[in-house]
Amino acid sequence: NAGVTQTPKFRILKIGQSMTLQCTQDMNHNYMYWYRQDPGMGLKLIYYSVGAGITDKGEVPNGYNVSRSTTEDFPLRLELAAPSQTSVYFCASSYSRPGGNEQFFGPGTRLTVL
Amino acid sequence: TQLLEQSPQFLSIQEGENLTVYCNSSSVFSSLQWYRQEPGEGPVLLVTVVTGGEVKKLKRLTFQFGDARKDSSLHITAAQPGDTGLYLCAGVGDSNYQLIWGAGTKLIIKP
């Protein structure tokens, strides 16, 4: 099992550029999440999805968009990249709601906006 | 707003020593999870605690959930270099669809 895979692993963007971070899971999990992790700040939830076709905002959604057309894929779109979006981005999935259910994480995408 | 505060932020000790890290809040959580994250990787779940006062052991790691379900601790006995990593606690928030994450304790065990 590959688990949760993310591409790319590293990326440098110029201010104003856009990009899509890809996330795929092969565990047939309904729930998927996008987090960003800044040094000393823990994980902040950007968007989450409870199933195909259903997405909702997390704590820090501004500047990002998501879609969930299939159970497996949950891409994160950055429009008009800004230096404040420099971070490490993690995609995660879980079988059901967070309470009592393990979240499985991908290896992360390190994004730098210059 | 529910918050989880972890302490200490950073801990560097010698192999063989014991240590305790803490995860505290003024809010009640229905359950709390501990994850370990190694450099360049995503967090991996260590344990979930659900009941107030619950104690769970994972080899040399002992996890405790406070009686009031507002705090938790992780105690490591005879720490080894393989325990090095970032330890994160996460609680189930009011929405039930989101985890509230602490900022983490960065642990370094020196041989």
Side-chain angles (χ1 to χ4, degrees):
Chain A
N1 265 351
V4 180
T5 57
Q6 291 182 239
T7 57
K9 199 160 181 64
F10 303 94
R11 185 71 186 269
I12 298 174
L13 283 181
K14 293 182 179 179
I15 294 172
Q17 288 185 322
S18 58
M19 75 166 294
T20 299
L21 283 66
Q22 301 292 344
C23 175
T24 301
Q25 55 93 6
D26 64 0
M27 296 173 282
N28 203 32
H29 285 169
N30 289 319
Y31 288 64
M32 295 188 75
Y33 315 84
W34 273 106
Y35 293 95
R36 59 177 290 172
Q37 185 176 36
D38 301 311
M41 298 295 289
L43 291 162
K44 301 291 185 185
L45 183 65
I46 304 171
Y47 271 95
Y48 67 97
S49 169
V50 301
I54 306 170
T55 63
D56 207 346
K57 295 177 181 179
E59 187 180 358
V60 290
N62 291 344
Y64 307 94
N65 276 300
V66 294
S67 60
R68 184 97 182 269
S69 57
T70 67
T71 299
E72 294 78 20
D73 300 308
F74 191 40
L76 177 71
R77 178 80 176 165
L78 277 72
E79 304 282 2
L80 298 175
S84 61
Q85 293 178 305
T86 293
S87 188
V88 181
Y89 291 84
F90 287 99
C91 179
S93 72
S94 64
Y95 174 72
S96 184
R97 295 186 303 177
N101 288 285
E102 177 178 3
Q103 291 194 5
F104 293 83
F105 285 81
T109 294
R110 184 175 294 274
L111 175 67
T112 302
V113 182
L114 300 173
Chain B
T1 302
Q2 292 179 291
L3 294 173
L4 279 169
E5 294 185 356
Q6 291 191 243
S7 61
Q9 287 185 308
F10 179 79
L11 186 59
S12 178
I13 62 172
Q14 292 293 138
E15 180 178 2
E17 294 183 12
N18 301 333
L19 66 109
T20 302
V21 298
Y22 300 92
C23 176
N24 296 310
S25 178
S26 59
S27 305
V28 174
F29 289 91
S30 58
S31 65
L32 199 139
Q33 298 177 332
W34 284 91
Y35 288 77
R36 179 169 67 203
Q37 183 179 18
E38 299 188 15
E41 298 181 8
V44 175
L45 180 69
L46 295 173
V47 77
T48 300
V49 287
V50 179
T51 306
E54 182 176 5
V55 176
K56 281 192 173 180
K57 292 190 175 183
L58 189 66
K59 296 183 181 178
R60 294 175 294 98
L61 279 60
T62 301
F63 303 85
Q64 184 163 6
F65 201 13
D67 291 341
R69 291 185 287 124
K70 293 182 179 181
D71 54 82
S72 181
S73 63
L74 159 59
H75 181 79
I76 301 179
T77 303
Q80 298 179 0
D83 297 326
T84 292
L86 179 67
Y87 288 80
L88 296 159
C89 65
V92 177
D94 291 334
S95 76
N96 271 341
Y97 294 99
Q98 300 186 32
L99 283 176
I100 308 298
W101 292 82
T105 292
K106 186 172 183 179
L107 177 63
I108 296 177
I109 310 300
K110 295 176 284 188

